Each structure stands twice: as C-alpha cells, then as structure tokens.
C-alpha cells in the first residue's frame, strides 16, 4: 500500500518536471523552446482554418476540457473527468466515477463502487494525437453479481502506464481511445448474504479478509472530450 501511495506522489511530481523540460534540439546547433515550437504549430493550424486544425489534430486551443468514458456508462457507472492543459503537450486529468446498484432484496445482488483517478499525459508528434502517461487510482468496491457467490467489499489502490490516440470529430469535440496497464492491490472482505427468512430482515455474514494483488490491464476506455475554455490569443 505504501508503494502505491508513493506512486501517486510521483505522478504529482511528474507535472512540474515536464513543464520545466521546455527545450528541444531541432538540428546540430539549433535549439528552440517547446513553447515557441508549439506557437508555430498553432499558427499553422490557425492559418488553415477549422478544417485544417481538425486534420492536423486538436490544435491545443483550450485550457480546460471535460471528458467522459462511454464504456463505464455501459455498466451504469457514470464517469466524468476534468482536463487541464497545463503546458505544451502536457495534460493533467482528474477523473471520478460512482454507481450503486441493488437487485432483489431476497437474493441481494449488488454492484457498487466509487473511484477517483489522477492522470498525467504527454502528447507525441507534430499533430499531438498519440500520448503516453502515468495514472493512479483509488477505489472502493462492493459486488455480489450472482445469488450463490460470496460478496466482496474493500478498497483498492492502483497505478500504471496509460497510452492512447485522440482526434477531432468536430470543432469542440474529440474522441479518445485509451488503455492502461498497471498494478492493483487492496484488502477485500468476503461476506455471505442471508436472504429474507420467516419475516426477518436480510443480513450479512463476514467470512474472511484477503489481500488482493493483480497486474494487467486496469484501464480501458472510449471517451468523448468537450472543450470548455479557450485560450485568449493564438500566439500565447
């Protein structure tokens, strides 16, 4: 658990490090700051007009964006995220999801969870469509999906790498495909559910507590991204 908490701190430290890395070598003796290079790309997009910017990528014309993972909505788990374009090629995101579903008091099927996930992304290429990043996660889960299964409840911490591809589908909307690979760990309490019997209320029986460790794909998404606030000037 301590390792995962340190990993979240690394994500927060990763942001100023990227913001300080503002120089790139273009040729043997030619050095231009990332800020100036970014301004050149932005002026080129602006000269091409809205369709040109759409063809080249997002243009990085916004400061704040809102995102939502459509795959989570398919599992009745609303998710929203706020994106801050804090520096050229760098995004900082904060995502949150929540759901609480119960089916049948007699058999007590249950699916409930909340999740918060910070993320830092670095965009690659002249068009800034591909990206890689670091992601952390804290979630609490409670699920019993079949009547005869044991229920499981507990808190999980996760960390890992994320990558994806993003492109414009309209002037203020983007489609984002992303996948994350990492490590999850936590403590899960197993319980059994005693259904209604002779008019008594249903009850839960604690069975055991187990540590959970898992490495693999811990994040998958198809997200829509909406621009909220634009920059005041193209050359800024």
């Amino acid at each position: 658990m301590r390792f995962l908490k340190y990993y979240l701190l690394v994500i927060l430290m990763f942001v100023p490090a990227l913001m300080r890395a503002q120089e790139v070598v273009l040729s043997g003796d030619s050095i231009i700051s990332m800020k100036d290079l970014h301004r050149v790309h932005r002026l080129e997009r602006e000269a091409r007009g809205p369709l040109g910017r759409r063809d080249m990528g997002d243009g990085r014309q916004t400061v704040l964006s809102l995102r939502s993972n459509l795959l989570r909505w398919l599992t009745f788990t609303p998710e929203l995220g706020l994106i801050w374009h804090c520096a050229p090629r760098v995004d900082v995101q904060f995502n949150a999801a929540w759901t609480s579903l119960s089916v049948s008091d007699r058999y007590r099927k249950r699916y409930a969870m909340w999740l918060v996930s910070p993320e830092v992304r670095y965009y690659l290429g002249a068009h800034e469509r591909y990206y890689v990043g670091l992601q952390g996660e804290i979630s609490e889960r409670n699920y019993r999906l079949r009547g005869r299964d044991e229920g499981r409840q507990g808190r999980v911490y996760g960390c890992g790498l994320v990558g994806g591809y993003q492109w414009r589908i309209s002037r203020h909307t983007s489609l984002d495909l992303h996948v994350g690979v990492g490590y999850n760990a936590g403590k899960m309490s197993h319980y059994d559910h005693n259904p209604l019997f002779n008019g008594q209320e249903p009850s839960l029986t604690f069975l055991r507590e187990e540590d959970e460790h898992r490495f693999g794909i811990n994040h998958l998404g198809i997200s829509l991204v909406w621009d909220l606030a634009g920059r005041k000037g193209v050359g800024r």
Side-chain angles (χ1 to χ4, degrees):
M1 294 295 184
R2 183 176 300 176
F3 165 75
L4 294 175
K5 294 177 182 178
Y6 288 157
Y7 186 86
L8 296 177
L9 293 177
V10 169
I11 293 179
L12 297 177
M13 296 171 60
F14 189 67
V15 177
L18 285 177
M19 296 178 69
R20 287 195 300 267
Q22 295 294 307
E23 291 190 346
V24 59
V25 178
L26 297 182
S27 61
D29 299 323
S30 177
I31 299 179
I32 184 173
S33 70
M34 287 294 297
K35 183 177 180 180
D36 292 337
L37 180 62
H38 183 66
R39 183 182 297 114
V40 172
H41 289 162
R42 191 182 304 156
L43 289 173
E44 183 180 356
R45 293 185 178 97
E46 190 69 18
R48 293 192 181 193
L51 293 179
R53 290 197 300 273
R54 174 180 171 181
D55 292 337
M56 294 187 65
D58 69 359
R60 314 291 289 166
Q61 297 294 313
T62 59
V63 177
L64 292 176
S65 298
L66 186 69
R67 63 170 296 278
S68 183
N69 188 348
L70 302 181
L71 293 186
R72 287 200 183 275
W73 287 83
L74 294 178
T75 62
F76 304 99
T77 308
E79 183 197 76
L80 289 175
L82 187 65
I83 306 173
W84 173 39
H85 308 287
C86 61
R89 298 181 180 270
V90 181
D91 283 353
V92 176
Q93 301 191 16
F94 183 83
N95 306 305
W98 176 88
T99 190
S100 181
L101 299 175
S102 297
V103 181
S104 174
D105 288 336
R106 180 176 181 82
Y107 299 105
R108 194 58 176 178
K109 295 179 182 179
R110 179 73 166 151
Y111 174 62
M113 62 94 71
W114 61 260
L115 174 148
V116 293
S117 175
E119 184 176 329
V120 179
R121 293 180 176 181
Y122 184 80
Y123 287 80
L124 306 171
H127 300 170
E128 302 178 23
R129 293 178 179 175
Y130 295 94
Y131 58 84
V132 294
L134 301 175
Q135 184 183 50
E137 177 183 310
I138 302 176
S139 64
E140 190 164 300
R141 309 171 184 178
N142 181 4
Y143 56 91
R144 187 173 189 261
L145 303 181
R146 292 185 295 180
R148 296 182 179 180
D149 287 348
E150 294 178 357
R152 306 180 72 185
Q153 182 176 10
R155 182 166 295 184
V156 176
Y157 298 87
C159 62
L161 303 176
V162 64
Y165 181 83
Q166 184 177 117
W167 69 92
R168 285 285 182 183
I169 58 177
S170 70
R171 186 171 182 179
H172 298 290
T173 309
S174 302
L175 186 65
D176 185 2
L177 307 180
H178 42 98
V179 61
V181 178
Y183 173 73
N184 286 351
K187 288 186 177 293
M188 302 297 292
S189 299
H190 292 242
Y191 63 86
D192 194 11
H193 179 263
N194 303 314
L196 292 169
F197 182 73
N198 292 335
Q200 297 180 355
E201 292 295 325
S203 61
L204 302 180
T205 302
F206 174 79
L207 300 177
R208 63 188 181 280
E209 186 176 70
E210 292 183 352
D211 291 332
E212 181 176 287
H213 302 275
R214 184 176 63 85
F215 179 83
I217 296 178
N218 61 1
H219 181 74
L220 188 65
I222 301 175
S223 297
L224 283 177
V225 182
W226 300 274
D227 296 342
L228 294 180
R231 300 184 185 277
K232 294 182 178 180
V234 175
R236 294 185 67 177

